[in-house]
């Protein structure tokens, strides 16, 4: 693995190895406290972030390395040639993580970068989120293969990465989205041969028999101008106690949540919700990823 732009770049076995390493890192943090001593991570952000920024920065500190936060707008990424800037970063840092508006930007960076480039979220994929999510599911259930995850809502970057992640490790994933908001064909095609992906429009059908129910914002970063239209279409896809009925799946949300929209307070704060452990596991999964790429 040189770069991580999408989980299509990794085999199912490599994903499972990263999850196992994430479990070890979480359990024995001291064993890894100097593993990336003197290594530097450049963190480029074109969009806002709480969890991704903090978990990468804290992760590098806990591994004995250092992270440099680079706001796209206050660096010369705005005026210089992207690929020249990336080449320069490789002279100071050992890896780059970047959150970008357009996935094409990551491809351009990876094409010239001599150091690993990690997707910290693009309009198409959010692979680091899905790695943390698998770690959380394994932690809560003790396994991955054979489980069913239901994703309800917008077929966005998180949904695309979950489709690839779940099917790569032998999990079934049932996706319910409104018409016009389906996941990317690139993600669907990557999962198709596994026979583990079910696509549809009915949230009730999707959550039936699910071990995990997952949702995300109806208005992702970059789609703010579509808010009015989206808020008319998505209400039937709210994860609430009526949708869940008597079932007791684990509830996941990558956060930030818009309470009262894609998820109710009752579900988000209910006994089955694992959203804060899920947020924490971004840290452990990304530490494993950094070790995999840099050690
Ligand atoms: N889930 C996630 O990526 O959170 P942030 O946008 O806060 O980084």
């Amino acid at each position: 693995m040189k770069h991580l732009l999408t989980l299509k770049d990794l085999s199912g076995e490599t994903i499972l190895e990263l999850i196992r390493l994430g479990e070890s890192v979480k359990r024995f943090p001291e064993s890894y406290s100097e593993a990336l001593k003197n290594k530097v991570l450049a963190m480029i952000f074109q969009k806002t972030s709480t969890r991704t920024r903090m978990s990468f920065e804290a992760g590098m500190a806990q591994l004995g390395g250092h992270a440099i936060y680079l706001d796209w707008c206050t660096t010369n990424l705005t005026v210089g040639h992207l690929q020249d800037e990336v080449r320069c970063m490789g002279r100071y840092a050992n890896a780059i993580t970047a959150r970008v508006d357009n996935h094409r930007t990551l491809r351009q960076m990876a094409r010239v970068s001599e150091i690993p480039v990690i997707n910290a979220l693009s309009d198409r994929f959010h692979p680091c989120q899905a790695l943390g999510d698998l770690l959380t599911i394994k932690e809560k259930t003790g396994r991955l293969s054979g489980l069913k995850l239901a994703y309800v809502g917008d077929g966005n970057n998180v949904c695309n990465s979950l489709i690839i992640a779940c099917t790569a490790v032998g999990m079934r994933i049932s996706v319910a989205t409104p018409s016009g908001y389906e996941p990317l064909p690139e993600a669907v095609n990557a999962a198709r041969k596994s026979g583990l992906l079910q696509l549809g429009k009915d949230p009730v059908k999707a959550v039936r028999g699910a071990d995990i129910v997952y949702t995300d914002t109806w208005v992702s970063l970059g789609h703010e101008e579509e808010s009015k239209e989206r808020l008319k279409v998505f209400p039937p896809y709210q994860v609430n106690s009526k949708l869940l009925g008597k079932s007791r799946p684990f509830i996941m949300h990558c956060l930030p949540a818009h309470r009262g929209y894609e998820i109710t307070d009752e579900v988000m704060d209910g006994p089955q919700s694992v959203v804060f452990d899920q947020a924490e596991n971004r840290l452990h999964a990304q530490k494993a990823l950094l070790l995999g790429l840099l050690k």
Side-chain angles (χ1 to χ4, degrees), residues 13-292:
E13 190 43 47
T14 303
I15 293 173
L16 289 171
E17 274 171 26
L18 286 174
I19 301 307
R20 286 192 284 270
L21 183 55
E23 290 171 320
S24 172
V25 163
K26 184 169 184 177
R27 198 153 167 226
F28 306 108
E30 290 308 320
S31 305
Y32 299 91
S33 62
E34 299 210 359
L36 295 188
K37 194 173 174 198
N38 296 328
K39 303 280 188 198
V40 173
L41 175 69
M43 307 196 306
I44 302 170
F45 281 82
Q46 215 173 22
K47 298 171 184 241
T48 56
S49 169
T50 303
R51 281 146 290 274
T52 306
R53 177 182 173 181
M54 283 202 68
S55 52
F56 268 115
E57 193 160 338
M60 279 304 284
Q62 291 169 12
L63 293 169
H66 181 72
I68 302 173
Y69 176 75
L70 297 159
D71 176 356
W72 186 278
C73 296
T74 57
T75 58
N76 281 334
L77 285 158
T78 50
V79 293
H81 188 282
L82 172 69
Q83 294 183 327
D84 292 342
E85 300 300 294
V86 167
R87 282 192 186 100
C88 291
M89 288 180 195
R91 303 296 175 102
Y92 315 123
N94 303 95
I96 296 171
T97 187
R99 170 167 286 198
V100 296
D101 291 323
N102 193 318
H103 194 76
R104 196 171 50 235
T105 305
L106 287 170
R107 289 202 196 103
Q108 288 169 342
M109 294 169 82
R111 212 167 290 137
V112 297
S113 181
E114 289 175 3
I115 59 174
V117 176
I118 302 167
N119 180 357
L121 180 146
S122 71
D123 55 332
R124 297 173 80 82
F125 297 105
H126 198 356
C128 295
Q129 180 66 53
L131 286 175
D133 295 342
L134 290 185
L135 178 59
T136 306
I137 294 166
K138 176 102 183 285
E139 183 177 84
K140 299 297 169 191
T141 66
R143 65 195 174 111
L144 291 171
S145 182
L147 296 174
K148 174 181 172 179
L149 182 146
Y151 180 94
V152 177
D154 186 18
N156 62 10
N157 45 11
V158 170
C159 178
N160 294 327
S161 287
L162 282 171
I163 287 172
I164 297 168
C166 290
T167 56
V169 300
M171 285 175 62
R172 285 187 293 145
I173 176 165
S174 184
V175 175
T177 60
S179 289
Y181 297 94
E182 292 87 356
L184 283 179
E186 186 180 344
V188 172
N189 291 338
R192 204 177 287 285
K193 66 175 179 300
S194 71
L196 296 168
L197 170 64
Q198 188 175 34
L199 297 175
K201 313 217 172 303
D202 183 352
V204 176
K205 195 171 160 198
V207 303
R208 200 172 291 142
D211 301 286
I212 303 111
V213 172
Y214 197 123
T215 190
D216 188 13
T217 179
W218 294 338
V219 186
S220 291
L221 294 169
H223 291 292
E224 291 81 359
E225 75 289 352
E226 298 170 16
S227 295
K228 216 165 144 196
E229 185 57 33
R230 284 171 171 261
L231 293 183
K232 279 191 225 155
V233 170
F234 278 99
Y237 293 82
Q238 184 184 66
V239 174
N240 53 35
S241 32
K242 181 163 177 252
L243 176 67
L244 299 173
K246 288 192 168 49
S247 66
R248 291 286 174 271
F250 288 108
I251 302 298
M252 297 182 74
H253 190 305
C254 58
L255 304 180
H258 301 79
R259 289 166 176 262
Y261 290 89
E262 73 270 10
I263 191 165
T264 57
D265 284 339
E266 190 183 12
V267 172
M268 175 106 170
D269 298 326
Q272 293 302 108
S273 172
V274 298
V275 299
F276 297 108
D277 290 337
Q278 180 184 0
E280 179 190 330
N281 283 334
R282 293 288 305 278
L283 172 69
H284 309 297
Q286 287 160 201
K287 283 166 78 173
L289 175 65
L290 291 164
L291 288 166

